[in-house]
Amino acid sequence: MSWWLTGLPLLIGLALLIFGGMTVVSNAVTLAARLGISKIIIGIVIVGFGTSAPELVTGVQSAREGVPTLSYGNVIGANIANLLMVMGVAALLVPVTVRPEAIRRDAATVLLAFSGLLALVWTGAPARLVGAALVLGLVVYLSVSWNSERRPRTPEDQMNAQEAAAAGDLRAPAGRALILLLTGLAALIVGADLLVADAVNIARRLGVSEGLIGLTVVSVGTCLPELVTAIVASLRKQGDVVTGNVLGSCLFNVMGVAGVVMLLSGTGLTEAQRLVQAPLMMVSGLVLISALISGARLHRLAGLTMLGAYAAFVAASALVDRI
């Protein structure tokens, strides 16, 4: 097989990711403007959850194949990649700024989900009970988020809608924007799948453990939709969409993906995941969210520091796996 045929899936996947990222961001903002809801909710509920579809597919498949540890590694690794790599790249391109009042509730929910997962697994609760609690928590969160957007509009809400209208296209019907947004999400998912399709087989041939595969190779691969979406949103100076994308992905990964895998497999986290990797995820989330809630602007130096921290995390994980 010639070299260009070998690299064709990668090029197609990359093209789909770029197309999907641009389509998702522009139509997410347009939809927010048309529906009169905040960009942070669109970023969390639609963009964030939608770009986490690869993690969910990977999780269900790993549970069915009897390797849930790969999925848990994927969830933890994807969240750390979102918090450090995705936000780091976004801040490196264009400094990220969000309004603290717009993310307080959702950021607190992310930390609560992380803390709940750690508390449940540390107390030795049955895996299926933990999974049920996580999935139920996700349903409650979605209900509260949706109901909060249906309350009477305040001057702040009207300002948010005006900001969304300025960045979106009010001439586009909401139905068309939704269809294009879903098309973009599909392109992101298919593109990521093309890029990561052979990663697990290659890593296994090299003697890498399933936990490390999930923590690094698979998590980075399934984070590509979030990364591309964040890059496009950052370049368009849509900090709310960038942050909502990351927060939504983290929420869905822990409460949706990990919850569903625990329900299906009845198996919990490994000792390394429970004692080391999950706490690192918690620390990463706490540091980033504290900075965002304080109103700090994530400058390029912060982005570079976050990328360095992520590189150190991956290197340390690989070193421990070899011991």
Side-chain angles (χ1 to χ4, degrees):
M1 184 180 292
S2 60
W3 66 268
W4 64 272
L5 282 177
T6 303
L8 188 59
L10 186 146
L11 295 176
I12 294 175
L14 183 60
L16 285 172
L17 284 172
I18 295 172
F19 164 76
M22 295 178 65
T23 303
V24 164
V25 172
S26 60
N27 286 282
V29 175
T30 297
L31 193 61
R34 293 289 293 170
L35 298 180
I37 60 179
S38 64
K39 290 181 287 183
I40 195 72
I41 291 296
I42 287 288
I44 289 174
V45 176
I46 298 179
V47 180
F49 286 12
T51 53
S52 286
E55 284 91 337
L56 179 60
V57 173
T58 301
V60 172
Q61 289 177 343
S62 67
R64 287 180 175 177
E65 294 173 5
V67 284
T69 55
L70 186 148
S71 178
Y72 299 140
N74 181 24
V75 166
I76 295 171
N79 279 355
I80 294 176
N82 275 322
L83 295 165
L84 297 179
M85 181 184 72
V86 174
M87 288 297 293
V89 169
L92 197 60
L93 293 173
V94 178
V96 176
T97 304
V98 294
R99 293 171 294 106
E101 62 275 10
I103 66 167
R104 281 198 180 99
R105 181 195 64 200
D106 304 301
T109 305
V110 171
L111 293 180
L112 184 62
F114 287 2
S115 303
L117 175 63
L118 287 175
L120 288 170
V121 297
W122 280 350
T123 57
R128 285 195 168 89
L129 178 61
V130 176
L134 291 173
V135 173
L136 179 61
L138 180 61
V139 172
V140 171
Y141 166 77
L142 290 175
S143 299
V144 171
S145 297
W146 180 254
N147 289 331
S148 70
E149 288 296 317
R150 298 179 63 186
R151 71 188 190 282
R153 313 306 290 171
T154 65
E156 180 185 340
D157 295 326
Q158 294 172 2
M159 181 183 68
N160 294 339
Q162 291 171 359
E163 290 176 355
D169 182 7
L170 280 176
R171 296 171 297 178
R176 179 190 171 193
L178 178 60
I179 292 173
L180 290 175
L181 187 147
L182 294 175
T183 301
L185 288 174
L188 287 172
I189 293 168
V190 174
D193 184 63
L194 286 173
L195 286 175
V196 79
D198 295 328
V200 174
N201 288 333
I202 292 173
R204 282 176 174 168
R205 290 175 184 175
L206 295 175
V208 179
S209 70
E210 291 169 349
L212 184 61
I213 293 171
L215 194 67
T216 55
V217 179
V218 179
S219 65
V220 171
T222 54
C223 269
L224 288 176
E226 286 92 336
L227 179 60
V228 174
T229 301
I231 290 173
V232 175
S234 180
L235 292 175
R236 295 187 178 186
K237 298 182 179 180
Q238 296 293 323
D240 282 356
V241 176
V242 174
T243 307
N245 176 26
V246 168
L247 293 179
S249 294
C250 288
L251 269 176
F252 188 77
N253 285 341
V254 169
M255 304 178 80
V257 179
V260 167
V261 172
M262 287 182 179
L263 281 172
L264 291 177
S265 68
T267 304
L269 277 62
T270 66
E271 285 297 297
Q273 291 168 345
R274 185 170 64 91
L275 298 176
V276 179
Q277 297 163 9
L280 283 175
M281 176 184 71
M282 180 71 185
V283 171
S284 300
L286 186 60
V287 171
L288 174 62
I289 289 172
S290 297
L292 292 174
I293 291 180
S294 70
R297 193 180 191 190
L298 298 182
H299 291 279
R300 289 184 172 89
L301 179 58
L304 190 61
T305 302
M306 293 160 71
L307 288 175
Y310 181 70
F313 163 73
V314 172
S317 298
L319 181 62
V320 170
D321 187 71
R322 290 291 183 181
I323 297 177

